[in-house]
Amino acid sequence: EFILLGFPGTWRFRVSFVVVFALMYTLTVIGNASIIALVWRSSNLHTPMYFFLCNLSFLEIWYTTGVVPKAIGVMLGTSQTISFSVCILQLFFLLSLGSTECFLLSVMAYDRYLAICCPLRYSCLMSSVLSVRLALSSWLGGFLAISLLAFLTSRLTFCGPDVINHFLCDIDSCLALSCSDTWPVELATFLVSIIVVVASCVVTLVSYMYIISSIMRIQSGHGRKKAFSTCSAHLSVVTIWYGSTMFLYVKPSAQNSLDVNKIVNTFNTMVTPLLNPFIYTLRNKEVKLALGRAFQKK
């Protein structure tokens, strides 16, 4: 078994963290579940863009669920231990969902590229069959990409300290405690990060380069504003997600301070899933109109 340290401090300090984590978790689940329900109920939102958004919201619910309940138990002192097998399972689950999110965000960027750069052919190019295939490929690719990494991590030998300076099991924490050669795991982590994070980020950046180029060619100011509004929410989410993910994983070796990692992981696993529904709701006119109609019906 490992012992998760969480955020050391006084009882009052840890209870305040528990309250914040519980509140953020509740809002995250309600917000993302509301988006899924709203899209399902509103026929005008049955488009590829909102289908991908539902996939993202569903992912965010499980992503934060894989972290917060255990983190609350760690900080309250009621569930500080975690078995090696459960630790590897949590690591695999979180990294797989994180990889899936990278792929989904790149798919959403490609969808916005088709909608803005090829508006007349959009419905033919991004059919419902293709959107389902892209979403399914994102999920399968995310879980398959982490399989080898999780297997290599499970083969590490631990013979020294058993205290993990974190509120969850992550790669850097396992590498810090291992007494065997960690080079294969570090190399695999770096290569998977390049393939998953950097490659999907490049696809997203290229898509937005074409999008911005097309928007700048629009003559009317109203047209440019409308085009920007359709992708500004997605761009905000992409910037937040890729910034924190690259800091955590795109590095040749596990050199980051574990205390810094805890802060960035908190942002990545709790703040980002919480912000997503609010960003998409507040920055999207179609969602706000559908939400207004839903309340009017009630």
Side-chain angles (χ1 to χ4, degrees):
E1 288 188 335
F2 293 121
I3 299 172
L4 295 170
L5 196 59
F7 290 94
T10 63
W11 172 251
R12 183 175 296 179
F13 173 79
R14 286 184 283 124
V15 167
S16 64
F17 259 98
V18 168
V19 172
V20 172
F21 277 30
L23 180 61
M24 292 173 68
Y25 176 66
T26 304
L27 291 175
T28 297
V29 173
I30 292 174
N32 284 287
S34 297
I35 285 182
I36 296 172
L38 185 65
V39 172
W40 182 67
R41 287 174 58 89
S42 304
S43 57
N44 63 310
L45 299 182
H46 292 176
T47 63
M49 174 182 172
Y50 294 104
F51 171 70
F52 296 135
L53 179 57
C54 282
N55 274 268
L56 183 63
S57 293
F58 179 75
L59 182 150
E60 298 289 26
I61 291 172
W62 287 107
Y63 190 60
T64 192
T65 298
V67 175
V68 178
K70 181 64 178 178
I72 289 176
V74 169
M75 285 182 286
L76 288 177
T78 58
S79 179
Q80 284 190 285
T81 59
I82 185 169
S83 67
F84 177 71
S85 57
V86 174
C87 181
I88 295 298
L89 184 63
Q90 185 187 48
L91 182 148
F92 172 71
F93 186 69
L94 294 179
L95 291 182
S96 297
L97 289 177
S99 299
T100 302
E101 180 156 353
C102 288
F103 291 136
L104 273 177
L105 290 176
S106 63
V107 166
M108 292 172 76
Y110 176 67
D111 172 69
R112 291 301 83 210
Y113 157 74
L114 292 179
I116 293 174
C117 299
C118 311
L120 299 179
R121 295 188 297 150
Y122 173 72
S123 57
C124 296
L125 294 172
M126 185 57 72
S127 62
S128 57
V129 174
L130 179 60
S131 60
V132 170
R133 286 177 179 174
L134 288 173
L136 185 60
S137 298
S138 297
W139 284 93
L140 289 176
F143 278 80
L144 288 175
I146 303 301
S147 299
L148 176 61
L149 183 57
F151 172 75
L152 291 175
T153 307
S154 69
R155 307 303 296 174
L156 292 174
T157 303
F158 300 90
C159 50
D162 60 354
V163 177
I164 294 179
N165 184 19
H166 214 312
F167 55 84
L168 55 84
C169 283
D170 72 340
I171 290 289
D172 285 356
S173 300
C174 291
L175 294 178
L177 293 181
S178 177
C179 57
S180 57
D181 184 15
T182 61
W183 181 82
V185 180
E186 292 189 35
L187 179 62
T189 304
F190 181 66
L191 293 177
V192 169
S193 301
I194 293 295
I195 295 170
V196 174
V197 182
V198 177
S200 61
C201 186
V202 168
V203 171
T204 303
L205 289 175
V206 170
S207 298
Y208 272 100
M209 286 171 61
Y210 280 104
I211 288 172
I212 293 171
S213 177
S214 297
I215 290 175
M216 297 309 294
R217 290 198 297 268
I218 298 175
Q219 299 296 323
S220 67
H222 175 72
R224 281 197 298 269
K225 184 178 179 182
K226 184 178 180 181
F228 266 121
S229 68
T230 62
C231 61
S232 59
H234 180 235
L235 189 57
S236 302
V237 173
V238 163
T239 303
I240 294 170
W241 173 257
Y242 280 114
S244 55
T245 302
M246 284 187 174
F247 175 85
L248 286 171
Y249 301 112
V250 184
K251 56 186 186 295
S253 61
Q255 295 297 324
N256 287 354
S257 165
L258 294 181
D259 288 321
V260 175
N261 279 7
K262 276 195 288 187
I263 297 171
V264 179
N265 266 127
T266 302
F267 196 86
N268 221 24
T269 57
M270 277 171 267
V271 177
T272 305
L274 173 63
L275 289 178
N276 282 355
F278 293 102
I279 289 175
Y280 280 107
T281 302
L282 297 175
R283 300 292 298 275
N284 194 301
K285 289 182 179 179
E286 290 177 321
V287 173
K288 286 190 284 188
L289 288 173
L291 195 60
R293 284 194 291 268
F295 276 114
Q296 284 177 355
K297 286 180 182 179
K298 286 188 179 298

